[in-house]
């Protein structure tokens, strides 16, 4: 029963992540990437505190607990988002999408070493198949270009590795602790808010335009996008992924990351009037087949 709930949690998280790109695009029309990160984690941390204050969830956190979970927050969201943001400065989104699609492969290798997770040939084939589906869509979406940036690709690769390590460490930590998924979620949001807000405010102070940090909050479209990114994409998504990883092997859970690509395509077609091409359908079938195979026993 717990595994069924865990799969449902991962599936729900996948839909949230898939739609989050739509709201990120809206947010970036009004604020810089670092400001968006600061605002979303600040708001998510505020909502988490409101939940605790309501008495619906009991939370006890001491310095020992924070030190235990801090490395997880370092990998995600700090390293993951930081290297992703700066990597996209030097490379295209298609190239970044291809590299991010390798997260399940990295996770499979790391989980095999650190957690001794074992997968059969069908599951391994499913992971590779889902990666191939994302790469296919990314390649078909991209235009032929001679641009190449080793720095950009290196940054995106580090971002992908960070997410893979995060998934494995969450699985290891939650499998050997009695702490609730919300405890880890709270600490992740807290550290994310501290780091990204410090960086964002620091940059504005350096440029002597601190008012620009608050300006986007006066735009209703930005606030709507921020609510989704903070409450669902940061708070709810983190909780759901941690809950799922408590009961599902890291290598299997990571494959859902590629399913988010399919959701992003659908969201773009439905809400941004983007075109649906034949290769989207082919890629979707490949991804779904891969996710199904990877989670077969």
């Amino acid at each position: 029963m717990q595994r069924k709930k865990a799969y449902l949690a991962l599936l729900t998280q996948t839909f949230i992540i898939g739609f989050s790109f739509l709201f990120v695009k809206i947010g970036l029309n009004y604020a810089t990437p670092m400001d968006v990160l600061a605002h979303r984690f600040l708001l998510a941390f505020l909502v988490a505190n409101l939940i605790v204050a309501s008495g619906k969830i009991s939370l006890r956190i001491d310095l020992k607990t924070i030190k235990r979970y801090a490395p997880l927050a370092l990998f995600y969201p700090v390293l993951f988002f930081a290297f992703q943001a700066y990597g996209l400065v030097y490379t295209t989104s298609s190239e970044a999408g291809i590299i991010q699609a390798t997260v399940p492969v990295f996770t499979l290798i790391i989980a095999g070493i650190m957690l001794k997770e074992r997968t059969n040939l069908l599951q391994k084939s499913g992971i590779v198949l889902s990666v191939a589906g994302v790469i296919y869509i990314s390649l078909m979406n991209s235009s032929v270009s001679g641009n190449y940036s080793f720095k950009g690709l290196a940054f995106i690769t580090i971002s992908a590795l960070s997410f893979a390590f995060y998934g494995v460490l969450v699985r290891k930590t939650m499998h050997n602790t009695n702490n609730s998924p919300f405890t880890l979620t709270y600490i992740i949001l807290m550290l994310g808010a501290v780091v990204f807000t410090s960086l964002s405010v620091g940059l504005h102070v350096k440029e002597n335009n601190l008012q620009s940090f608050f300006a986007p909050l006066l735009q209703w479209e930005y606030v709507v996008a921020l609510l989704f990114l903070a409450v669902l994409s940061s708070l709810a998504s983190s909780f759901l992924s941690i809950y799922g990883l408590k009961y599902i092997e890291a290598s299997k859970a990571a494959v859902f990351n590629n399913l988010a690509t399919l959701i992003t395509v659908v969201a773009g077609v439905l809400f941004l009037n983007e075109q649906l091409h034949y290769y989207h359908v082919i890629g979707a079938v490949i991804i779904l087949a891969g996710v199904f195979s990877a989670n077969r026993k």
Side-chain angles (χ1 to χ4, degrees), residues 232-251:
L232 291 179
S233 187
S234 295
L235 175 57
S237 176
S238 294
F239 175 81
L240 291 169
S241 66
I242 292 168
Y243 179 86
L245 282 162
K246 186 172 183 178
Y247 302 102
I248 303 296
E249 293 85 345
S251 55

Side-chain angles (χ1 to χ4, degrees), residues 112-125:
I113 296 172
M114 295 182 62
L115 304 179
K116 308 302 180 185
E117 287 187 4
R118 295 292 177 262
T119 52
N120 57 39
L121 182 59
L122 179 62
Q123 292 166 337
K124 288 185 176 70
S125 299

Side-chain angles (χ1 to χ4, degrees), residues 33-34 37-38 40-41 69-87 100 155 158-163 166 187-199 234 238:
M34 191 58 69
L37 287 172
R40 69 186 281 186
F41 278 96
Y69 290 154
L72 296 174
L74 175 64
F75 282 111
Y76 179 91
V78 177
L79 291 179
F80 172 75
F81 279 117
F83 279 102
Q84 183 187 74
Y86 285 102
Q100 289 288 356
F155 282 171
I158 295 173
S159 173
L161 278 169
S162 298
F163 196 67
Y166 165 77
I187 293 174
I188 284 175
L189 296 178
M190 177 181 67
L191 295 179
V194 169
V195 171
F196 291 126
T197 302
S198 298
L199 290 172
S234 295
S238 294

Side-chain angles (χ1 to χ4, degrees), residues 109-185:
I109 297 171
I110 297 169
I113 296 172
M114 295 182 62
L115 304 179
K116 308 302 180 185
E117 287 187 4
R118 295 292 177 262
T119 52
N120 57 39
L121 182 59
L122 179 62
Q123 292 166 337
K124 288 185 176 70
S125 299
I127 291 173
V128 173
L129 195 60
S130 73
V131 171
V134 176
I135 292 176
Y136 173 73
I137 291 177
S138 297
L139 287 175
M140 293 298 290
N141 273 333
S142 65
S143 58
V144 178
S145 173
N147 295 330
Y148 178 84
S149 170
F150 176 78
K151 182 186 292 186
L153 296 179
F155 282 171
I156 296 297
T157 300
I158 295 173
S159 173
L161 278 169
S162 298
F163 196 67
F165 270 108
Y166 165 77
V168 172
L169 289 175
V170 168
R171 171 67 176 169
K172 181 179 181 179
T173 303
M174 296 307 298
H175 198 62
N176 299 312
T177 183
N178 292 323
N179 287 328
S180 68
F182 188 81
T183 300
L184 177 53
T185 302

Side-chain angles (χ1 to χ4, degrees), residues 8-296:
L8 180 60
L10 291 174
L11 187 60
T12 303
Q13 183 239 1
T14 298
F15 272 88
I16 293 173
I17 295 300
F19 277 93
S20 69
F21 288 97
L22 185 153
F23 291 94
V24 168
K25 286 183 178 180
I26 295 174
L28 291 176
N29 289 328
Y30 301 92
T32 66
M34 191 58 69
D35 285 350
V36 173
L37 287 172
H39 290 154
R40 69 186 281 186
F41 278 96
L42 268 176
L43 180 56
F45 185 54
L46 173 62
V47 173
N49 278 286
L50 291 176
I51 293 174
V52 174
S54 70
K56 293 183 179 180
I57 293 182
S58 178
L59 184 68
R60 292 183 180 180
I61 296 178
D62 53 22
L63 187 59
K64 183 179 179 181
T65 304
I66 294 176
K67 287 182 178 179
R68 180 191 305 161
Y69 290 154
L72 296 174
L74 175 64
F75 282 111
Y76 179 91
V78 177
L79 291 179
F80 172 75
F81 279 117
F83 279 102
Q84 183 187 74
Y86 285 102
L88 286 170
V89 173
Y90 300 101
T91 188
T92 66
S93 58
S94 295
E95 289 172 329
I98 292 172
I99 297 173
Q100 289 288 356
T102 61
V103 167
V105 176
F106 287 140
T107 304
L108 176 68
I109 297 171
I110 297 169
I113 296 172
M114 295 182 62
L115 304 179
K116 308 302 180 185
E117 287 187 4
R118 295 292 177 262
T119 52
N120 57 39
L121 182 59
L122 179 62
Q123 292 166 337
K124 288 185 176 70
S125 299
I127 291 173
V128 173
L129 195 60
S130 73
V131 171
V134 176
I135 292 176
Y136 173 73
I137 291 177
S138 297
L139 287 175
M140 293 298 290
N141 273 333
S142 65
S143 58
V144 178
S145 173
N147 295 330
Y148 178 84
S149 170
F150 176 78
K151 182 186 292 186
L153 296 179
F155 282 171
I156 296 297
T157 300
I158 295 173
S159 173
L161 278 169
S162 298
F163 196 67
F165 270 108
Y166 165 77
V168 172
L169 289 175
V170 168
R171 171 67 176 169
K172 181 179 181 179
T173 303
M174 296 307 298
H175 198 62
N176 299 312
T177 183
N178 292 323
N179 287 328
S180 68
F182 188 81
T183 300
L184 177 53
T185 302
Y186 185 89
I187 293 174
I188 284 175
L189 296 178
M190 177 181 67
L191 295 179
V194 169
V195 171
F196 291 126
T197 302
S198 298
L199 290 172
S200 180
V201 171
L203 288 172
H204 283 293
V205 170
K206 182 180 179 181
E207 297 173 358
N208 197 28
N209 63 347
L210 186 58
Q211 68 278 4
S212 298
F213 178 80
F214 301 99
L217 300 175
L218 300 177
Q219 305 295 327
W220 71 268
E221 284 190 350
Y222 181 78
V223 173
V224 171
L226 188 62
L227 284 170
F228 182 94
L229 293 173
V231 180
L232 291 179
S233 187
S234 295
L235 175 57
S237 176
S238 294
F239 175 81
L240 291 169
S241 66
I242 292 168
Y243 179 86
L245 282 162
K246 186 172 183 178
Y247 302 102
I248 303 296
E249 293 85 345
S251 55
K252 294 181 180 180
V255 184
F256 283 85
N257 179 65
N258 288 343
L259 186 58
T261 300
L262 174 59
I263 306 301
T264 300
V265 171
V266 174
V269 172
L270 293 178
F271 299 102
L272 297 179
N273 296 319
E274 295 178 352
Q275 290 186 330
L276 181 67
H277 299 285
Y278 72 92
Y279 56 81
H280 289 137
V281 178
I282 295 175
V285 172
I286 296 173
I287 292 171
L288 289 173
V291 173
F292 180 77
S293 299
N295 286 278
R296 296 288 293 176

